[in-house]
């Protein structure tokens, strides 16, 4: 079954990292992928998202027409910064794999959620 691993954090923390610290964090992330890709547990490689100030939000206006605004949907300190799709037997296995993610600079939490399958 597929599970989405949502990586949360404060993307503003990335701007405070030195180039060496940023490189260190990325090496930890690459090592994580190198560990799990050969096992077949990574269904799709990760997608890192641009910072929150690049987002647009679309929602229904008062007349039912779409209204587009700058920024993320909610004003939160932590936002989704990346998504990795896992292929696991159950959510417990997906959570165990997620628990090995390097929680470093700006990456403060992970959420693992089953992906809806409609056949």
């Amino acid at each position: 079954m597929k599970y989405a691993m949502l990586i949360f954090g404060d993307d503003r923390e990335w701007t405070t990292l030195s180039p060496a610290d940023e490189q260190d964090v990325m090496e930890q992330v690459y090592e994580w992928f190198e560990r799990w890709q050969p096992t077949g547990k990574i269904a799709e490689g990760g997608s890192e998202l641009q910072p929150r100030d690049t987002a647009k939000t679309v929602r229904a206006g008062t007349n039912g027409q779409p209204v587009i605004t700058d920024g993320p949907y909610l004003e939160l300190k932590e936002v989704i910064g990346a998504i990795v799709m896992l292929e696991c037997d159950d959510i417990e296995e997906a959570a165990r794999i997620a628990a090995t993610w390097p929680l470093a600079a700006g990456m403060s939490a992970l959420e693992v959620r089953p992906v809806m399958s409609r056949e």
Side-chain angles (χ1 to χ4, degrees), residues 29-100:
V29 169
Y30 296 144
E31 288 171 6
W32 185 87
F33 276 99
E34 288 172 0
R35 174 182 177 183
W36 291 108
Q37 281 179 323
T39 69
K41 297 301 177 183
I42 305 293
E44 298 171 28
S47 296
E48 185 177 359
L49 303 177
Q50 292 287 331
R52 73 182 84 196
D53 61 356
T54 64
K56 298 277 186 191
T57 298
V58 180
R59 64 182 68 164
T62 55
N63 61 0
Q65 296 298 309
V67 174
I68 301 171
T69 57
D70 290 338
Y73 174 67
L74 297 173
E75 290 296 323
L76 301 173
K77 181 178 178 184
E78 294 179 339
V79 295
I80 298 173
I83 301 169
V84 177
M85 299 302 289
L86 303 175
E87 183 69 45
C88 298
D89 295 330
D90 54 41
I91 196 161
E92 286 78 17
E93 180 183 33
R96 284 192 303 272
I97 291 169
T100 66

Side-chain angles (χ1 to χ4, degrees), residues 2-6 8 85 91 94 111-116:
K2 284 191 180 177
Y3 295 86
M5 184 175 86
L6 309 172
F8 291 87
M85 299 302 289
I91 196 161
E111 179 179 324
V112 177
R113 190 184 303 182
V115 174
M116 186 69 71

